[in-house]
Amino acid sequence: MPPSPSPEHEALVLLFRNRPRLAVELLRDALGVPLPEFVGARIASAERTEARPVPYRADLVVELHGPKGPVGAVVVEIQMSRDGRKRQTWPLYVTSVHAELRCPTVLLVVAPDEGVAKWARRPIVLGHPGLRFEPVVIGPTQVPRIDSRKVAAADPELAVLSSMAHGDEAGGWLTVRAALHAALHVDEERSRYYTHFILAALSDAMRARLEEEMRLGEFGEPTDLEKRILARGAEKGRTEGRAESILVVLESRGLVVPVEARERILACTDEPTLLAWLSRAVVVEAVEALFVADS
């Protein structure tokens, strides 16, 4: 049985799910990979991604479509660590999507760790004469650095990804600030998740600076959400972080979380229970099944 995805893995999947064009921006604009002309980008339909056995299911498939149908596809894989068995499935993802959609298909591997990115870039030799599969990989150093609030507001998902990649670097404060402002001006649900992603990726020192800068008025008149960050976000407790991770996993899998279930998850302060729910959140078919073993 494959290991359960980490909260960071699910957070990155959610960014691409919320903005399919993010895959295009990274491939075409950051890495210089040519893509066909298209009029829109969307996540592949469930029957294309869910029909495969779990070990052979990509994290996301983005369809690029023109007036008459698909003109290209991007298979998005989030790779948190070295996993030789997983690497061997990448050519399968590309060939199967190519066969289904009958259009040019590219694999984009997103590796938050630079060492993992270097490992993932190694060509995969399949054995067929002359056939070498070379993964297209974006590591943290290739992620564009977004320091402008205006640019961040126009592309909040890229801004959040930029903050996760560069927030703790020298001068990363501007990237964090731009991403937080972008996160504060999207809908409430995305705002909550994105703020959590940004804060979770920061070191203790950067979180402390964030809190201090906000108290000094660096952000101007604080909004309600900024006040919540001051009160809870920058010093988010372990159990609260676990609870929000459970919600991220459930909703990134497309499950609707009823109000009662959301309140129960967020109210829980027992870490073993939260860890059990987080493990189940990856595999349950309905939110109600999360609590069955506890009754």
Side-chain angles (χ1 to χ4, degrees), residues 12 32 86 114 123 144 163 180 202 255 262 272 286:
L12 291 168
K86 184 68 171 175
E114 198 60 54
S163 177
L180 279 171
L202 296 178
L255 298 177
R262 182 183 299 276

Side-chain angles (χ1 to χ4, degrees), residues 45-117:
S45 57
E47 59 266 22
R48 286 193 176 117
T49 57
E50 298 298 324
R52 300 186 185 95
V54 171
Y56 303 110
R57 188 183 304 157
D59 287 322
L60 282 177
V61 176
V62 178
E63 293 182 21
L64 310 179
H65 56 90
K68 297 182 179 180
V71 296
V74 181
V75 178
V76 179
E77 268 293 290
I78 309 299
Q79 196 64 34
M80 306 300 299
S81 61
R82 294 173 175 84
D83 184 344
R85 291 175 299 177
K86 184 68 171 175
R87 222 171 83 93
Q88 297 305 314
T89 65
W90 293 344
L92 173 61
Y93 295 162
V94 172
T95 54
S96 62
V97 172
H98 179 270
E100 289 177 10
L101 298 181
R102 299 183 182 182
C103 62
T105 303
V106 180
L107 171 74
L108 174 63
V109 179
V110 181
D113 178 83
E114 198 60 54
V116 174

Side-chain angles (χ1 to χ4, degrees), residues 121-243:
R121 290 189 186 99
R122 295 183 305 169
I124 300 170
V125 180
L126 300 176
H128 188 81
L131 183 57
R132 282 161 54 93
F133 184 87
E134 298 189 5
V136 179
V137 181
I138 189 160
T141 58
Q142 288 80 43
V143 173
R145 190 163 181 159
I146 308 297
D147 294 339
S148 162
R149 297 184 190 183
K150 183 177 180 180
V151 174
D155 194 344
E157 285 75 22
L158 182 58
V160 173
L161 184 63
S162 178
S163 177
M164 294 170 75
H166 303 297
D168 282 322
E169 296 175 356
W173 166 243
L174 293 176
T175 306
V176 174
R177 186 173 64 181
L180 279 171
H181 270 276
L184 292 169
H185 293 91
V186 296
D187 61 85
E188 185 176 354
E189 185 174 37
R190 282 194 300 159
S191 184
R192 182 175 67 252
Y193 289 146
Y194 292 177
T195 302
H196 174 66
F197 298 162
I198 294 165
L199 294 173
L202 296 178
S203 65
D204 290 341
M206 185 58 80
R207 281 201 203 113
R209 178 174 180 180
L210 168 65
E211 186 174 6
E212 181 64 19
E213 292 284 351
M214 291 180 72
R215 283 176 176 166
L216 292 175
E218 174 69 21
F219 286 78
E221 184 65 27
T223 65
D224 288 343
L225 184 55
E226 285 174 317
K227 292 174 183 176
R228 289 208 303 260
I229 294 173
L230 284 176
R232 296 163 42 191
E235 298 296 332
K236 192 178 295 291
R238 178 178 295 177
T239 56
E240 186 177 348
R242 298 279 192 204

Side-chain angles (χ1 to χ4, degrees), residues 241-286:
R242 298 279 192 204
E244 293 201 3
S245 295
I246 293 167
L247 296 175
V248 169
V249 171
L250 292 171
E251 294 181 349
S252 69
R253 294 182 59 223
L255 298 177
V256 177
V257 183
V259 174
E260 298 81 2
R262 182 183 299 276
E263 291 176 350
R264 179 173 177 179
I265 292 168
L266 292 175
C268 181
T269 57
D270 181 66
E271 187 166 5
T273 299
L274 289 168
L275 286 171
W277 289 350
L278 181 58
S279 178
R280 292 176 209 155
V282 179
V283 296
V284 293
E285 297 300 324

Side-chain angles (χ1 to χ4, degrees), residues 17-62:
R17 186 179 294 280
N18 284 349
R19 184 175 174 83
R21 281 180 178 265
L22 181 58
V24 175
E25 292 164 356
L26 294 177
L27 276 171
R28 185 183 61 196
D29 303 334
L31 299 177
V33 176
L35 294 172
E37 293 295 323
F38 66 98
V39 297
R42 63 191 174 206
I43 301 302
S45 57
E47 59 266 22
R48 286 193 176 117
T49 57
E50 298 298 324
R52 300 186 185 95
V54 171
Y56 303 110
R57 188 183 304 157
D59 287 322
L60 282 177
V61 176
V62 178

